[in-house]
Amino acid sequence: VYLLFQALRQISQRTISTASRRQIENRVAEHQKLFQEDNGLPVHLKGGAKDALLYRATMLLTVFGTVYAIYHLGVSSMPKKQK
């Protein structure tokens, strides 16, 4: 039980620690150049193919959800048939 507690304490201290052992490369300047470039693209699509795919998937889900909601509003507004 003590070993388990000690292991959990070590893991929690490692993940909460603010000191990073690895240096992360600062790429802010690269991203600023990319997003400020005047290439006619809206900012939400300047990230490349991944952004375009996410945008299209979001639009598809939005349109599908809107049509689905309107359909069910129409169905629920009609009275049920009497048998």
Side-chain angles (χ1 to χ4, degrees), residues 6-42:
Q6 189 176 14
L8 288 174
R9 191 176 77 196
Q10 277 183 335
I11 291 171
S12 67
Q13 284 177 348
R14 251 186 253 144
T15 57
I16 295 174
S17 174
T18 58
S20 177
R21 293 181 185 200
R22 289 182 273 162
Q23 290 293 328
I24 298 173
E25 182 183 347
N26 187 0
R27 295 177 44 192
V28 173
E30 293 174 31
H31 288 292
Q32 284 177 338
K33 285 179 188 175
L34 173 72
F35 286 103
Q36 291 176 355
E37 183 179 318
D38 188 19
N39 56 4
L41 289 175

Side-chain angles (χ1 to χ4, degrees), residues 37-57:
E37 183 179 318
D38 188 19
N39 56 4
L41 289 175
V43 72
H44 59 275
L45 295 177
K46 286 191 177 188
K50 183 176 158 185
D51 281 351
L53 182 66
L54 286 172
Y55 176 74
R56 288 185 183 129

